[in-house]
Amino acid sequence: MAAATKIAARGVKRRFPNGVEALDSFDLDIAEGEFVCLVGPSGCGKSTFLRIVAGLLTPSDGSVSIQPRRTDRPAVAMVFQDYSIYPWKTVLANVRVGLDLAGVKKREGNERARHWLVRCGLGDFVDAYPNTLSGGMRQRVSIARALAVEPEILLMDEPFAALDAQLRTVLQDELLDLWQSDRRTVLFVTHSLEEAILLGDRVVVMSARPGRLVADIRVPFERPRTGELRGAPEFAALEQQIWDVLRGEVDRSLAKQSESAAGR
């Protein structure tokens, strides 16, 4: 039996007050428990769409609906590229922020926060402050904070983009392992095709701005997966296949930028 639709976007458009049209008639369905990755040229509206799903922005036209199963927890939580953690709070207190806002009692909040910190490899750092942590550890704090509120949908906006290549690989593997033991719905924005293929069930390619759906490619590799998949010939072939689709949109985006610069 097919999984129920968790997120449904229909004809989504978004025009900003400065006249920039970020999205145009964007349609997308995401099923319960799917890990879907959005890729596309810079400025194509990936992050804008993510923020619409999160309720941080409203579409200029069209609609996005989500179908939560429960009312006793947040439907969505978001992980940002810049960590967005409070420097004056300990790691434990940072992870507990969403629980505090939800009115969860401190003792229960601490237990849930500690549980997710252990799951994210930070069990020994509950009393540390962010300025003592590496970039990768700070992003683990951000991920633990999002998971602690136990959302049905996890939205991730290029969470590993600011990390060096080695650390990015480590955190990709950690997230892959974490998700495969949990299987909640994830919408993940990335510029890395390797990351999208390793993590995702589907890779959705968006056009140059204004963003539209160009291709929706199902990743054929069985789960559970490991990072060793990166070395498979089939992995490289799929990466090239997606790049063949994406490259035309990147070229169009660069051409538009050149035209805009020439017209100044």
Side-chain angles (χ1 to χ4, degrees), residues 223-250:
R223 296 193 186 271
R225 301 174 192 160
T226 69
E228 294 178 358
L229 180 62
R230 295 183 186 91
E234 298 85 359
F235 188 99
L238 181 58
E239 187 173 1
Q240 184 62 52
Q241 176 190 335
I242 298 173
W243 173 239
D244 289 343
V245 176
L246 178 58
R247 181 167 185 170
E249 299 304 323
V250 173

Side-chain angles (χ1 to χ4, degrees), residues 185-216:
T185 307
V186 176
L187 181 57
F188 189 102
V189 168
T190 180
H191 278 97
S192 168
L193 297 185
E194 177 189 279
E195 189 167 79
I197 294 167
L198 178 69
L199 296 173
D201 295 308
R202 290 156 57 200
V203 179
V204 172
V205 181
M206 294 178 65
S207 69
R209 191 173 67 210
R212 303 179 182 88
L213 192 150
V214 173
D216 189 342

Side-chain angles (χ1 to χ4, degrees), residues 7 19 22-23 26 40 42 49 61 64 77-78 85 108 128-129 139 185 187 189 192 208 255 259:
I7 303 171
L23 294 166
F26 186 71
S42 295
F49 179 68
D61 199 3
V64 174
M78 193 159 178
I85 56 179
E108 180 186 347
Y129 284 87
Q139 194 57 286
T185 307
L187 181 57
V189 168
S192 168
E259 291 172 5

Side-chain angles (χ1 to χ4, degrees), residues 77-134:
M78 193 159 178
V79 177
F80 298 92
Q81 178 180 332
D82 62 357
Y83 318 140
S84 298
I85 56 179
Y86 300 108
W88 61 88
K89 290 180 178 288
T90 65
V91 165
L92 183 67
N94 265 290
V95 174
R96 212 183 56 228
V97 163
L99 300 171
D100 293 341
L101 292 173
V104 175
K105 292 181 179 178
K106 188 172 182 178
R107 181 173 180 179
E108 180 186 347
N110 282 338
E111 290 175 355
R112 285 168 61 175
R114 287 178 186 276
H115 167 78
W116 284 107
L117 283 167
V118 169
R119 293 283 303 275
C120 292
L122 292 173
D124 293 333
F125 296 89
V126 293
D127 296 321
Y129 284 87
N131 67 349
T132 67
L133 305 179
S134 67

Side-chain angles (χ1 to χ4, degrees), residues 1 20 33 61 79 100 127 130 150 152-153 155 163-164 168 183 212 218 238 252:
M1 184 179 295
V20 171
D61 199 3
V79 177
D100 293 341
D127 296 321
E150 299 180 353
E152 296 185 33
I153 300 168
L155 306 174
L163 306 176
D164 65 56
R168 184 169 186 155
R183 299 294 179 111
R212 303 179 182 88
R218 184 159 295 281
L238 181 58
R252 273 187 279 277

Side-chain angles (χ1 to χ4, degrees), residues 64-75:
V64 174
S65 62
I66 60 176
Q67 303 297 328
R69 289 179 286 103
R70 300 178 59 167
T71 59
D72 61 342
R73 64 182 62 179

